[in-house]
Amino acid sequence: MATLDLSTQQREELWQMLTVQLESHYQESRGMKVAPDLDLKAIKDLVRKFSVTQSNDPKQAIQHVIDGLKEFTVHTTHPGYYGLFNPRSNFAGIAADLITAVFNPQMAAWSHAPFSAEVEHFLVEEVGKNLGLAEVDGVFASGGAEANSTAVLCALNDQFEHFTDRGLLGLKEPPVLYTSIESHHSITRAARNAGLGDRSVRLIEVDGKLRMDAQVLKQTIEADLDLGMKPFMLAATAGTTGSGAIDDLVKLGDIARQFDMWFHVDAAYGGALMAEDQLMRHLKGIQQADSITFDVHKWFSVPMAASMFISSNTAILEKAFRMTNPYMPKEARDLEIVDPFNHSIQWSRRFIGLKFYMTLLIYGWQGIRETVLNQIKIGDLLRKYLIECRWQIENETVMPIICFRKQDLTNGQVQEICDAVVKSGKVWISTYPIKGQLCLRACITNYLTEENDLKVLIDVLEEAYQKTIK
Ligand SMILES: *Cc1c(COP(=O)(O)O)cnc(C)c1O
């Protein structure tokens, strides 16, 4: 094997082997241990098991990788994974990733990947329409972190006339960004990466329902204005990562407009409520957003990494990212199209949108809607079971994210219970502090999770609780 290829016969055999192995993994997810032992030495040794100086047998190589992943991965495919929005990938999305890898369309220039570029354009329109935006532009991103970074860059380009040219060095007034203490850390990091630094981010206190406190926000903005700062961006969260809280988007949108700021809504997880008209009322006010982050790889269950940056300002992505260079292909110069690279932080880019397109083709919006509704229902059921077992629910949200504790437990004991539950290998949960008190946190994030799976969780919890208080 002197080249990077295999014989036709070898490839056909390997495809066979792969599909059989992957399908059996997919079928057997309930039987696996959800979380692995974190045996660092064993993992390092396993990774280095094969010499890579010369070629190896491809069958052995594939088997090795599948075995390694089986043993040392937190299995988000398992219905007992009540984790952090990491889904069990849906089949259409998996097929899409495979197809993408084979065709490998280059998503920088439109003319190199016209079908792919138009698929993504179509999806941006679908999502913009569902979210109720009057005008829509957007781009696919690797994740919510990249989409939030895109938002900060768009806000800077929109709010400061010469930003594209002179950058931060050309600013007279220090820019300030506002978000809540419950927001995702990627907002602060986006500010850091944009050259603003953590101190230009005001983390606003939250109210009793863990939503950004609008009164405190206003006072903070006014104080900053008095100091000669320039409030340039307000980043609300629609579905916080910790507890699923949705900021008051109507109120915050009004404040953003009053102070002439860019209004961003981080709806990485909660944006999925767009799938159902009745649920959209929880996102009321999102229509006023200048930009929105939505992760397709969370509630819509496509494989990572797939996120969308959506904007109602159809000029801003061009302003922020347009570049010219001599080596760009020019075949499409007479067409009314957008070269994807002119909208993105990325240059060479994978066809991220296909996972979403194929999910829609195969299951339709109806399939997505039913999944979202079902997971909300399973979440409600879990709340009911927890309350029956005298757990106290500490957060309030329509989404299937449940934070719970018992009054007699210290924070240390809550962590102890969580560790014991994870160690059981039957389920995976996490902890999250609410108002200084550590809670257990379970999120229905797998479309396979059903009533019987909840009973396993409840049993494991009860056992861990009894052991802890003894
Ligand atoms: C998950 C999440 C992010 C980060 O998105 P990634 O896709 O993980 O990069 C940002 N904001 C919120 C609210 C999230 O839940």
Side-chain angles (χ1 to χ4, degrees):
M1 260 196 304
T3 70
L4 292 178
D5 204 0
L6 301 169
S7 73
T8 309
Q9 192 195 341
Q10 271 180 313
R11 281 201 309 269
E12 282 174 356
E13 276 176 32
L14 293 170
W15 281 119
Q16 280 268 329
M17 171 191 175
L18 253 183
T19 49
V20 169
Q21 292 254 2
L22 294 177
E23 175 56 28
S24 80
H25 178 71
Y26 215 46
Q27 283 181 23
E28 290 159 8
S29 32
R30 246 190 200 89
M32 296 178 302
K33 196 165 178 277
V34 185
D37 293 328
L38 301 181
D39 183 341
L40 182 59
K41 179 161 188 323
I43 298 166
K44 279 184 178 288
D45 288 348
L46 185 60
V47 169
R48 288 161 185 75
K49 184 173 150 188
F50 284 78
S51 161
V52 292
T53 313
Q54 304 285 326
S55 64
N56 287 288
D57 174 44
K59 276 195 180 151
Q60 278 185 14
I62 289 175
Q63 194 60 54
H64 163 65
V65 168
I66 289 180
D67 290 347
L69 283 167
K70 269 194 184 168
E71 190 167 354
F72 294 113
T73 301
V74 172
H75 291 296
T76 61
T77 38
H78 194 299
Y81 177 74
Y82 296 93
L84 307 166
F85 313 142
N86 302 306
R88 174 184 169 93
S89 304
N90 79 60
F91 183 81
I94 293 169
D97 254 4
L98 188 60
I99 295 169
T100 298
V102 174
F103 281 83
N104 204 25
Q106 165 59 289
M107 291 296 284
W110 186 93
S111 64
H112 259 46
F115 178 80
S116 314
E118 288 305 313
V119 162
E120 291 195 344
H121 185 67
F122 164 74
L123 295 168
V124 164
E125 284 180 354
E126 283 288 296
V127 166
K129 194 169 60 185
N130 275 1
L131 290 170
L133 300 187
E135 296 219 59
V136 189
D137 196 10
V139 67
F140 275 82
S142 56
E146 186 193 331
N148 283 337
S149 257
T150 306
V152 171
L153 295 172
C154 284
L156 287 167
N157 276 281
D158 176 75
Q159 294 273 308
F160 301 99
E161 202 189 336
H162 301 294
F163 184 81
T164 319
D165 237 13
R166 300 188 205 151
L168 296 177
L169 299 179
L171 304 187
K172 288 186 205 79
E173 304 161 311
V176 192
L177 187 164
Y178 303 82
T179 193
S180 90
I181 50 168
E182 292 287 322
S183 71
H184 194 268
H185 71 272
S186 60
I187 299 275
T188 302
R189 201 162 58 182
R192 191 193 290 181
N193 293 347
L196 293 168
D198 293 3
R199 280 207 216 162
S200 62
V201 179
R202 301 276 180 269
L203 296 175
I204 305 296
E205 282 300 324
V206 290
D207 64 16
K209 291 182 175 176
L210 304 174
R211 301 172 306 184
M212 196 189 304
D213 188 318
Q215 204 54 38
V216 175
L217 170 67
K218 261 182 126 163
Q219 287 161 1
T220 312
I221 294 172
E222 276 158 0
D224 286 335
L225 283 170
D226 286 345
L227 291 171
M229 315 256 195
K230 166 64 184 156
F232 80 104
M233 178 175 185
L234 172 55
T237 310
T240 56
T241 317
S243 73
I246 302 176
D247 285 336
D248 186 333
L249 303 179
V250 173
K251 214 182 259 177
L252 297 189
D254 287 347
I255 294 175
R257 198 165 317 127
Q258 182 190 340
F259 291 100
D260 191 24
M261 301 157 80
W262 183 268
F263 183 44
H264 177 67
V265 178
D266 180 359
Y269 175 68
L273 298 176
M274 77 172 93
E276 158 67 43
D277 289 346
Q278 290 300 310
L279 295 174
M280 263 306 282
R281 74 190 155 85
H282 298 285
L283 301 181
K284 197 168 160 223
I286 202 168
Q287 301 78 2
Q288 307 179 73
D290 293 300
S291 60
I292 298 164
T293 288
F294 172 62
D295 272 2
V296 194
H297 67 205
K298 284 182 173 163
W299 214 341
F300 285 6
S301 301
V302 305
M304 285 177 257
S307 181
M308 298 175 86
F309 170 85
I310 301 287
S311 183
S312 56
N313 179 332
T314 54
I316 199 63
L317 282 168
E318 285 277 318
K319 178 159 195 248
F321 297 110
R322 173 161 209 94
M323 303 284 271
T324 49
N325 66 67
Y327 43 78
M328 277 314 295
K330 299 182 179 59
E331 295 95 311
R333 63 182 167 262
D334 297 329
L335 299 175
E336 250 187 65
I337 52 93
V338 172
D339 279 315
F341 80 87
N342 275 331
H343 268 45
S344 177
I345 291 176
Q346 298 182 48
W347 181 263
S348 297
R349 181 160 68 75
R350 187 182 172 83
F351 183 12
I352 300 169
L354 187 61
K355 308 179 238 213
F356 188 11
Y357 187 56
M358 280 194 58
T359 299
L360 281 178
L361 284 180
I362 293 182
Y363 312 105
W365 278 113
Q366 186 187 348
I368 291 179
R369 182 183 312 125
E370 281 167 13
T371 304
V372 166
L373 286 171
N374 183 57
Q375 287 184 295
I376 288 176
K377 197 184 83 189
I378 298 288
D380 288 342
L381 206 54
L382 177 56
R383 279 188 195 94
K384 180 171 153 256
Y385 291 161
L386 287 168
I387 291 166
E388 280 167 12
C389 296
R390 302 224 188 82
W391 291 94
Q392 216 162 297
I393 313 294
E394 301 287 341
N395 67 323
E396 200 183 308
T397 177
V398 62
M399 290 176 250
I401 304 171
I402 301 134
C403 300
F404 55 98
R405 66 190 313 280
K406 292 195 187 198
Q407 283 317 321
D408 58 336
L409 294 172
T410 63
N411 286 353
Q413 285 175 316
V414 169
Q415 191 58 55
E416 216 173 287
I417 293 174
C418 180
D419 293 345
V421 166
V422 169
K423 208 160 191 288
S424 78
K426 293 178 188 161
V427 292
W428 194 95
I429 59 170
S430 56
T431 56
Y432 188 72
I434 292 183
K435 292 167 211 144
Q437 292 201 304
L438 204 60
C439 299
L440 295 161
R441 177 189 180 284
C443 171
I444 310 298
T445 186
N446 185 318
Y447 55 84
L448 281 192
T449 305
E450 58 186 27
E451 197 169 345
N452 282 331
D453 296 306
L454 299 182
K455 289 177 180 151
V456 176
L457 171 59
I458 293 288
D459 287 348
V460 175
L461 271 172
E462 194 55 32
E463 197 181 317
Y465 170 71
Q466 292 301 340
K467 253 194 210 142
T468 300
I469 55 163
K470 213 164 57 188

